[in-house]
Amino acid sequence: MAADTAMDIPHPVTSTTSAPTPSTASKPERLPVTVTKPTPFTFDLGSLLLHDPNPLPAHPTSSDLSTTARDCAQALLNQLLTTCPITSHPTDGVLLTLPPATFALPREKPLPPAKEKTKWEKFAAKKGIGASGKKGGKDGTGKMVYDEAKGEWVPKWGYKGKNKDGEGEWIVEVDEKKERELQAKGDGSGVRGEGRRERVEKVRRTERRERANERRGRKGGVGGGT
């Protein structure tokens, strides 16, 4: 009888099985992977950016902010994993290729100030001096010029220069007035060689002007010394 009474008391057994363990009580609830909002999100996957147009409560709590942040992060991950190509590399591992960014992010720092010109650049701009060199320099005022007919860069002057265009053509346009003037000279000159004669005469005038300047400079130097 005593043995039967002892077996009829299930209290110790019931208490050990029904009481929750600490690990079971602290286990968080598994949140859903799918995020549904009244107004859909907009994405810029190239910048890893998500815009949530849904308004927050008037006085949001920490729980509201945490829930909203979690939903946005989950939605961004879902979009990345479903739209971006995923590849596997033997050394780098799994790679996810992002598309080009579409949202213009603002600059973190202001624009750098414009680089100040050097003394030579200021002098050249004041005097109208260009950067000489191949292909006309930076401002197109160098020794070379692009010939659209030939499709290449040629010198502005001199051998095969741009200023000699038309001299080697088998037919040239004739200015009637200039042709009559040349014929009146009676020296057999024609319009084809007129451009060369003008250049030669210009060079001669420049040389005469230089010699005259040198003579005036010598006279002024002697007079100043005495």
Side-chain angles (χ1 to χ4, degrees), residues 31-93:
L31 299 175
V33 177
T34 305
V35 179
T36 304
K37 292 280 185 165
T39 306
F41 301 115
T42 56
F43 300 91
D44 180 10
L45 300 182
S47 302
L48 297 178
L49 178 67
L50 176 145
H51 177 250
D52 184 5
N54 300 280
L56 291 170
H59 301 286
T61 63
S62 298
S63 178
D64 295 333
L65 297 177
S66 299
T67 302
T68 303
R70 180 264 164 195
D71 292 344
C72 292
Q74 183 65 57
L76 180 60
L77 289 174
N78 294 345
Q79 191 74 6
L80 288 170
L81 295 176
T82 54
T83 59
C84 297
I86 301 175
T87 57
S88 179
H89 195 271
T91 57
D92 298 334

Side-chain angles (χ1 to χ4, degrees), residues 18-226:
S18 61
T21 60
S23 60
T24 304
S26 62
K27 186 176 181 180
E29 181 183 357
R30 187 178 183 85
L31 299 175
V33 177
T34 305
V35 179
T36 304
K37 292 280 185 165
T39 306
F41 301 115
T42 56
F43 300 91
D44 180 10
L45 300 182
S47 302
L48 297 178
L49 178 67
L50 176 145
H51 177 250
D52 184 5
N54 300 280
L56 291 170
H59 301 286
T61 63
S62 298
S63 178
D64 295 333
L65 297 177
S66 299
T67 302
T68 303
R70 180 264 164 195
D71 292 344
C72 292
Q74 183 65 57
L76 180 60
L77 289 174
N78 294 345
Q79 191 74 6
L80 288 170
L81 295 176
T82 54
T83 59
C84 297
I86 301 175
T87 57
S88 179
H89 195 271
T91 57
D92 298 334
V94 180
L95 302 176
L96 187 143
T97 304
L98 298 178
T102 58
F103 183 77
L105 292 173
R107 290 180 60 91
E108 179 185 0
K109 296 179 175 61
L111 289 172
K115 186 178 179 182
E116 186 178 358
K117 292 185 177 181
T118 62
K119 292 183 178 179
W120 164 250
E121 290 174 342
K122 293 178 181 178
F123 176 79
K126 182 179 179 181
K127 298 295 184 180
I129 303 174
S132 61
K134 190 177 181 181
K135 298 185 179 181
K138 294 182 179 180
D139 53 0
T141 58
K143 298 178 181 178
M144 308 290 286
V145 64
Y146 187 74
D147 190 338
E148 296 183 357
K150 297 179 180 178
E152 60 183 4
W153 292 88
V154 297
K156 287 185 177 180
W157 309 279
Y159 179 65
K160 294 184 178 180
K162 182 69 174 176
N163 62 329
K164 295 185 178 180
D165 285 352
E167 289 188 2
E169 300 294 335
W170 65 277
I171 184 172
V172 293
E173 184 179 359
V174 176
D175 187 346
E176 295 182 0
K177 181 178 179 181
K178 184 176 290 187
E179 183 69 14
R180 287 195 297 269
E181 293 176 355
L182 295 175
Q183 290 178 358
K185 293 181 179 179
D187 56 358
S189 58
V191 69
R192 185 182 295 273
E194 182 64 17
R196 178 174 177 80
R197 283 190 294 273
E198 290 179 357
R199 291 195 300 273
V200 171
E201 182 60 29
K202 183 178 180 180
V203 172
R204 291 175 178 173
R205 288 197 302 268
T206 303
E207 291 177 351
R208 289 196 296 268
R209 190 181 304 113
E210 290 177 353
R211 288 195 294 268
N213 292 336
E214 290 178 0
R215 288 194 297 269
R216 284 195 297 268
R218 286 196 297 269
K219 290 180 180 179
V222 173
T226 56

